[in-house]
Amino acid sequence: MSFSGSYLPEDVTLLLQVIDMDPTPVAEKERLIQSGALHYSELLAPEAPPTAPYLAIYETALRENGPFMAQAVVSLAKGIAAKVDGDIALVSLARAGLPIGVLLKRALTHLGRDCHHYGISIIRDRGLDRVAMDHILSQHDASSVIFVDGWTGKGAIAGELAKAGPACGIAAPRMVTLGDIGGYAWMAPTDTDWLIPSGILGGVISGLVSRTVLNDAIIASGGFHGATTLPHLASRDISRDFIETIAGQFPWQAEAATPLADTARIKRRKIIDDTIKALAQTHQITNLNRIKPSLAEATRAVLRRRPHMVYVASDSAADTAPLMHLIRENNIPFKTAPDLINGYRAVTIIEKTS
């Protein structure tokens, strides 16, 4: 059964199975994941409502970066429209891709394109939801499918798409993002690590759905990957308000984005690979999943994981303000090290539990 979360039904169809699952305390979640007892997709951390001070910081980020985000969405929509003939099937990767996909559907519809928007699950090490993709490809040609995510970090999700695409009948999956930091997207308006306002919040800006879940019961059901709804956050939900705020600023004169050239992609990946290797060496990390790069990913890691260290390019810049607020509020160790995290504005290192 599909639904739309707290979004308008015409904005997105979520191909997710609504499940009941009690949250696991963060410390226990880390122990279970790092010991190999459970995969991260089998657990959900508690999701608390954002505090008033943090929401005030988000509002500042929205005010300062909203116009750029609106321009980035229009640029991306025009780029997609120029490269895809016929109808367009946007497939947003839950959760980070959902607000971006809703905005892209609004923009593409305004541009006169027949556009459908779905939200589905993709899970690191376990792949794309094949049941959801079978549903989509029963109604749309593979050439019309464009995957949507918020940003690229070190390429984990892009790698999952590349592996899953051919099995679904999509030889070369095309993914778009608002910030292609790692050089892994097919198309993006920029390759910089910038403060995407929706990236620093969770369910309250993503349709009141949790991160996606895949466990034995869901696999046995033969249905879509799972997610819980978040009714305890309903009074703080800003999902629709966020969409209306950004869509109300769309600059239709923005130039179309274009696919990233191979030379630029190679150069970008080299920068990112060198940074990840340096961080792994500094902390003697063998499991690169403990490294969470980019402003959005570093912030999300602080909100729902156990950080060991956070690196920022600046501890006083506007774009790191939300992350620095969380760091100081929770007494998390941090270092200002722009050279070490070259290519990113922030990186969180997850604490090793054993």
Side-chain angles (χ1 to χ4, degrees), residues 15-38:
L15 302 181
L16 298 169
Q17 181 179 166
V18 178
I19 61 170
D20 291 322
M21 174 179 279
D22 293 330
T24 302
V26 173
E28 178 66 2
K29 177 186 171 187
E30 289 295 345
R31 185 191 69 77
L32 291 168
I33 292 172
Q34 294 192 35
S35 69
L38 291 174

Side-chain angles (χ1 to χ4, degrees), residues 12-267:
V12 65
T13 298
L14 299 177
L15 302 181
L16 298 169
Q17 181 179 166
V18 178
I19 61 170
D20 291 322
M21 174 179 279
D22 293 330
T24 302
V26 173
E28 178 66 2
K29 177 186 171 187
E30 289 295 345
R31 185 191 69 77
L32 291 168
I33 292 172
Q34 294 192 35
S35 69
L38 291 174
H39 189 264
Y40 83 90
S41 64
E42 298 177 81
L43 302 161
L44 288 174
E47 189 159 347
T51 64
Y54 190 71
L55 275 178
I57 293 171
Y58 156 78
E59 290 288 351
T60 299
L62 180 62
R63 184 171 59 253
E64 294 181 352
N65 284 11
F68 181 75
M69 185 171 187
Q71 177 180 315
V73 170
V74 172
S75 176
L76 197 49
K78 286 186 174 182
I80 294 169
K83 294 293 183 180
V84 180
D85 296 326
D87 75 319
I88 298 168
L90 297 176
V91 180
S92 290
L93 305 178
R95 289 188 303 186
L98 291 177
I100 317 304
V102 170
L103 288 166
L104 281 172
K105 183 180 188 297
R106 293 276 188 100
L108 283 162
T109 301
H110 179 90
L111 293 172
R113 298 304 301 269
D114 184 11
C115 181
H116 305 267
H117 179 214
Y118 304 93
I120 74 170
S121 167
I122 188 168
I123 294 172
R124 192 188 67 241
D125 304 326
R126 295 194 168 185
L128 194 62
D129 186 340
R130 285 291 303 276
V131 178
M133 284 307 302
D134 287 348
H135 176 86
I136 291 168
L137 293 174
S138 72
Q139 301 182 55
H140 305 279
D141 190 82
S143 64
S144 71
V145 173
I146 299 294
F147 293 98
V148 182
D149 207 355
W151 57 89
T152 63
K154 56 182 188 288
I157 294 302
E160 292 293 347
L161 268 184
K163 287 187 291 184
C168 294
I170 303 175
R174 293 175 291 182
M175 181 176 72
V176 300
T177 68
L178 289 190
D180 187 19
I181 310 159
Y184 289 94
W186 168 65
M187 187 187 295
T190 179
D191 63 3
T192 59
D193 186 6
W194 63 284
L195 183 57
I196 301 171
S198 58
I200 60 174
L201 290 171
V204 296
I205 206 166
S206 303
L208 289 182
V209 294
S210 73
R211 220 200 60 240
T212 58
V213 175
L214 185 63
N215 55 28
D216 290 343
I218 292 170
I219 294 170
S221 77
F224 302 140
H225 288 190
T228 66
T229 57
L230 305 169
H232 69 288
L233 300 178
S235 65
R236 307 291 184 90
D237 185 33
I238 54 173
S239 301
R240 291 193 196 181
D241 288 344
F242 172 75
I243 296 301
E244 299 302 335
T245 298
I246 299 298
Q249 301 177 72
F250 281 164
W252 298 111
Q253 73 279 9
E255 294 185 3
T258 56
L260 188 64
D262 287 343
T263 52
R265 189 183 305 279
I266 292 168
K267 180 179 180 181

